[in-house]
Amino acid sequence: MNVLGIIASGVAALFITVALAKSARRVALRPRIPDEPGGRAPRAEALRRTGGATAVLGIGTATGAALWLGAADDAARSAGGLLAGAGAVAALGLVHDLKPLWAALRLAVQAAAAVLVVCLAGLSPAAGVLAVVWIVLVTNAFALLDHADGLLTAVGLVTAAGLLACAFVGGDPALALLPATMVAGLAGFLLHNWHPARLRLGACGAQFTGFALAASGALIQAAAPSGRAAWAALPALATVALADSALVLISRRRAARSPLRDTDDHIAHRLRRVRVTVPGAAVLTTLGAGVPVATGALVYAELLHPAFLLLPLAGTAAAVYALLRIPAYAPPRTAPPRTGSSRTAPSRTATSRATQDRTITARRRTGTADAGAAIPAAAPAPGVKGSAPGRGAPTGTARTAAGHPTVPPPPNGRPAEAATAAAERG
């Protein structure tokens, strides 16, 4: 495959991606898009989240057309397997964007796609197992970078440029086809993905980007001439992606959080907490990725000694250590202290209510007694002696001479007649 064919494929990928992304952006930003039934997110948000499909279609169409025209020559089988595996992973990511899938299912599909690439490339069993593990690991590491506007797109563009240089230096231009179209396609998509992002890569574009970069690196390393330090140079191209994954796993391990639960603890999130803007975080992370990519490409071209790779690795480790000191999680909320167990709380509540009821009843009774005491007692009849206490009648009750209680005077104010009637009854 000649250089002109690679350039033509890249130009085609650029124009197709830009055209599709512009159309998707117009539809996503169209006003008055009705919401989906069932209280789900509006369709505009779903279109923005699945915008990475435009980059996948642009890159895949340009690469597939070049393969159909016979541009890959002898490496058409390897390049075709690489494109098929990346397409399968992208299709799974698109389904995940619309309806979340289990992590185990996604890992299984990624591993199957990696096995397809390895088998079509004709690698040995030992190298094939290592390549499958590497592809699955790096795919998810790059996919985790999709947590800020333009971050994964810019880092993927820089990494694809490094792979493109390594493929040309290694003397196998056919393996440079997919990295070339990725450079052009990601550059066109970055116009709509930069902050504020109108379109997002989503799981579709993120997994496609990570898988294509990881599989291309594995195939370039397998096809590298003997004597080149490909075993050390090519893994350095994924330094930032692996550093972000290590940062997340270490911080979640320290905080006793689930490693599968995505939170705001990535590189860009921590940079935001130290007053770095969203575009600034993307630029800093891209520059941090460009240093190991350039060093790895120069080492692969035998322009630098492999020992120089220790410099970007040491700088990345220092950056991870510094980012770990930035708090990523909010402090837990302190609940008010409990005076007892939850089982005794209902009984105490019932006891307090009973006490209140008794207090109200006692107050009512006291009020009634006070009201009765305020009524003046009836005056005893003249000539009638009061009964002595302790004879079965209440103290203070007037009695006759025979010991019978007297009848209280009627309300008409005639006590004499009442006393006479009582005497006659006695």
Side-chain angles (χ1 to χ4, degrees):
M1 183 176 184
N2 54 16
V3 178
L4 293 179
I6 295 177
I7 295 176
S9 300
V11 172
L14 175 63
F15 279 101
I16 296 174
T17 302
V18 170
L20 293 176
K22 189 175 182 180
S23 301
R25 175 181 174 179
R26 287 180 178 177
V27 176
L29 299 180
R30 181 180 300 172
R32 299 181 181 179
I33 295 181
D35 295 346
E36 296 182 2
R40 290 179 291 179
R43 296 179 183 178
E45 181 62 26
L47 288 173
R48 296 189 188 100
R49 187 172 59 250
T50 58
T54 59
V56 174
L57 290 176
I59 296 172
T61 302
T63 307
L67 292 176
W68 182 68
L69 294 175
D73 298 332
D74 296 337
R77 187 177 180 182
S78 300
L82 177 57
L83 182 61
V89 172
L92 180 70
L94 182 60
V95 175
H96 179 70
D97 285 329
L98 301 176
K99 184 179 180 180
L101 301 175
W102 292 346
L105 177 60
R106 287 178 287 163
L107 290 176
V109 174
Q110 293 171 7
V115 170
L116 175 64
V117 173
V118 168
C119 292
L120 293 179
L123 299 180
S124 62
V129 172
L130 293 177
V132 168
V133 174
W134 171 258
I135 291 173
V136 174
L137 176 63
V138 176
T139 298
N140 292 277
F142 272 99
L144 289 177
L145 287 177
D146 190 27
H147 57 264
D149 294 346
L151 179 59
L152 176 58
T153 308
V155 173
L157 193 155
V158 172
T159 307
L163 290 173
L164 178 63
C166 292
F168 273 117
V169 172
D172 195 353
L175 294 178
L177 177 61
L178 186 57
T181 55
M182 288 192 66
V183 170
L186 293 177
F189 187 77
L190 187 60
L191 300 175
H192 306 277
N193 187 236
W194 193 251
H195 182 76
R198 275 71 175 180
L199 296 177
R200 302 174 184 174
L201 280 175
C204 177
Q207 293 186 13
F208 174 84
T209 302
F211 187 90
L213 294 175
S216 297
L219 295 183
I220 292 173
Q221 181 173 0
S226 59
R228 294 186 182 272
W231 58 271
L234 292 174
L237 274 63
T239 300
V240 169
L242 296 176
D244 180 74
S245 300
L247 173 67
V248 168
L249 292 177
I250 294 174
S251 59
R252 293 177 187 176
R253 176 66 177 175
R254 288 182 175 181
R257 291 174 175 261
S258 173
L260 300 179
R261 184 178 180 182
D262 195 12
T263 54
D264 297 340
D265 52 2
H266 294 269
I267 291 178
H269 297 146
R270 296 173 187 267
L271 293 177
R272 289 286 293 151
R273 287 182 171 85
V274 292
R275 305 295 180 86
V276 179
T277 61
V278 175
V283 170
L284 289 178
T285 308
T286 305
L287 292 177
V291 174
V293 166
T295 306
L298 293 176
V299 170
Y300 186 85
E302 298 181 346
L303 298 178
L304 289 179
H305 192 272
F308 282 93
L309 292 173
L310 297 177
L311 296 178
L313 294 180
T316 304
V320 170
Y321 177 77
L323 291 173
L324 283 173
R325 301 178 65 87
I326 300 175
Y329 309 109
R333 297 181 179 179
T334 57
R338 297 181 178 179
T339 56
S341 61
S342 58
R343 296 181 179 179
T344 59
S347 60
R348 292 186 177 183
T349 305
T351 304
S352 61
R353 291 180 178 176
T355 304
Q356 293 178 359
D357 294 341
R358 291 176 184 175
T359 304
I360 294 173
T361 304
R363 290 180 179 177
R364 290 178 179 176
R365 291 178 180 177
T366 305
T368 305
D370 295 342
I375 301 175
V384 179
K385 297 181 180 179
S387 62
R391 293 186 180 182
T395 304
T397 304
R399 292 179 178 274
T400 61
H404 298 285
T406 61
V407 179
N412 56 6
R414 297 179 180 180
E417 295 178 1
T420 304
E424 290 177 355
R425 286 196 302 269

